[in-house]
Amino acid sequence: MAAVNLSASRVARPVVDTSDRPAAVGLLDRFGRTAIDLRVSVTEKCSLRCTYCMPEEGLPAIARRDLLTPAEIGRLVGIAARDLGVREVRFTGGEPLMRADLAEILAETRAAAPGLPMALTTNGIGLDKRLPALIAAGLGRVNISLDTVDREHFARLTRRDRLPAVLAGITAAQEAGLAPVKVNAVLMRETLAGAADLFAWAVDAGVHLRFIEQMPLDADGVWTREALIDAAELLAALGTRFDLEPIGRDDPSSPAELWQVVGTDATVGVIASVTRSFCAECDRTRLTAEGSVASCLFGDDEAPLAPLLRGGASDDEIADAWRTAMWGKQSGHGMDRASFRRPIRSMGAIGG
Ligand code: SAM
Ligand code: SF4
């Protein structure tokens, strides 16, 4: 199948009927969910080309003038926190460290939304050098993506030989006291055999490892439901080396279910995004790098806020447009339905 990334301007935008939407509340949708967790993509660029995410050649470049500036991101997150009930923001991408002005983005956000916890999802490359400035600007937590600690396997999965740089980023985050450092691994046939080794490494390194079922958000469009490696297969593989018992979730709003190695403090998280969908409890809202609201990773109906932002709209008008976009959020990803259609944009293009 051909690559499936399109720019925001080509994304269809159905009209959202708001006649039954309550006025002046938070980011409520018609299924009774309220979004309080904001993900902001800051770029489509990346230093890796993970096969489950990016095409070999990278995503089509977003014109510089179309990317939100640090001040614009700060303003939008400020509106989200002040007027729309958002309680946490996470910067993602693409790879957020590809933005040279990431510390400025954090500083603008901190000024516009004082007290709002700020986190980063990153592949960790270059984090060691950037961390002091990011922490000074208000960064509180990091999630770092790592699928294998085998260098040759890492190079194949990400199409780049950068494992030492990722490990340096993880160590730097730990040394800077950003505990707990969470490490995300995507579960695939290619990573299943090394899953127990990765977990053993995580226990030793003192990071919290979480496996995520692979979603049909790869730009190359090769994902199939039949080839999915699910949480049950992962637990069977880990069970050959570790005696695991389920201990529930550490945080009720987290999609990760935890298993503990019996008799130790070591835990591993499993995010069964495909087989145990948490859509009914979804509390996320997303902004793309061009400033459009994406109410769901699996919806193609993005609502652009940038024209309002750049056209002199008031904070109230922007907040209202954001509420309208979320009112139209779909009930779930529907991956198990015959009618399921994968979204136009891939994970790296929406912001994972
Ligand atoms: N570049 C950063 C990173 O890799 O952490 C941030 C962006 S990345 C798109 C965010 C997260 O999405 C990563 O943890 C990555 O593993 C995950 N991801 C990417 N493609 C995925 C897919 N098809 N299914 C499940 N998770 C995916
Ligand atoms: Fe880049 Fe993150 Fe996608 Fe990997 S998962 S290609 S690091 S954006």
Side-chain angles (χ1 to χ4, degrees):
M1 193 188 288
V4 285
N5 315 291
L6 296 180
S7 67
S9 57
R10 293 168 66 193
V11 172
R13 221 173 339 118
V15 174
V16 177
D17 173 10
T18 55
S19 54
D20 51 350
R21 174 169 73 79
V25 288
L27 295 172
L28 185 67
D29 67 44
R30 65 181 77 244
F31 301 98
R33 300 165 298 186
T34 301
I36 53 171
D37 180 359
L38 170 60
R39 310 273 152 129
V40 180
S41 174
V42 295
T43 180
E44 83 296 356
K45 294 194 176 10
C46 190
S47 42
L48 298 180
R49 296 286 185 273
C50 304
T51 48
Y52 49 76
C53 177
M54 290 257 172
E56 171 113 51
E57 68 281 10
L59 291 168
I62 299 174
R64 201 187 167 93
R65 64 176 177 283
D66 293 334
L67 274 183
L68 293 187
T69 64
E72 288 172 333
I73 293 172
R75 182 169 171 213
L76 288 179
V77 182
I79 293 170
R82 209 175 39 249
D83 304 330
L84 296 171
V86 159
R87 298 207 202 122
E88 178 179 8
V89 61
R90 174 173 293 278
F91 296 99
T92 179
E95 174 46 48
L97 292 170
M98 296 297 280
R99 284 250 341 217
D101 56 0
L102 184 60
E104 210 186 314
I105 291 173
L106 290 166
E108 290 281 357
T109 303
R110 169 50 42 97
L116 186 72
M118 295 195 292
L120 190 66
T121 297
T122 171
N123 64 28
I125 296 174
L127 186 63
D128 47 343
K129 293 168 197 75
R130 307 276 295 280
L131 212 42
L134 298 178
I135 291 176
L139 180 66
R141 285 194 297 127
V142 287
N143 285 10
I144 301 178
S145 303
L146 175 64
D147 305 303
T148 173
V149 282
D150 178 286
R151 185 164 175 171
E152 191 267 330
H153 190 202
F154 180 96
R156 254 186 293 128
L157 272 178
T158 67
R159 303 174 173 124
R160 300 285 187 274
D161 181 20
R162 304 299 305 276
L163 178 64
V166 176
L167 296 177
I170 292 173
T171 305
Q174 289 179 298
E175 287 175 357
L178 291 184
V181 172
K182 289 186 181 168
V183 168
N184 296 338
V186 177
L187 191 52
M188 301 183 292
R189 169 96 26 228
E190 295 89 324
T191 53
L192 188 65
D197 285 346
L198 185 64
F199 183 37
W201 167 83
V203 172
D204 200 43
V207 298
H208 289 194
L209 178 64
R210 304 166 338 148
F211 286 94
I212 309 170
E213 284 178 350
Q214 187 189 357
M215 295 182 276
L217 292 168
D218 55 313
D220 292 334
V222 297
W223 184 97
T224 62
R225 181 69 175 79
E226 297 68 42
L228 181 81
I229 302 297
D230 63 16
E233 280 178 88
L234 168 73
L235 291 165
L238 294 180
T240 60
R241 282 243 311 259
F242 303 93
D243 187 10
L244 296 172
E245 61 179 357
I247 56 166
R249 297 172 191 218
D250 53 351
D251 163 1
S253 69
S254 163
E257 296 175 75
L258 298 182
W259 272 258
Q260 187 162 30
V261 181
V262 174
T264 75
D265 289 342
T267 60
V268 60
V270 184
I271 304 181
S273 0
V274 180
T275 57
R276 302 251 287 268
S277 147
F278 37 86
C279 298
E281 291 101 51
C282 180
D283 62 0
R284 291 186 186 163
T285 181
R286 291 184 154 80
L287 282 178
T288 67
E290 307 101 316
S292 295
V293 177
S295 57
C296 173
L297 273 176
F298 291 88
D300 291 330
D301 51 337
E302 295 174 5
L305 298 183
L308 295 174
L309 197 61
R310 294 175 177 181
S314 66
D315 285 3
D316 282 350
E317 287 166 327
I318 292 172
D320 205 53
W322 202 328
R323 284 193 197 98
T324 297
M326 294 307 292
W327 187 246
K329 178 170 174 159
Q330 62 194 45
S331 63
H333 55 52
M335 260 182 261
D336 281 326
R337 283 188 225 125
S339 58
F340 175 72
R341 293 279 170 278
R342 51 175 301 143
I344 295 169
R345 296 241 248 175
S346 63
M347 188 68 128
I350 310 163

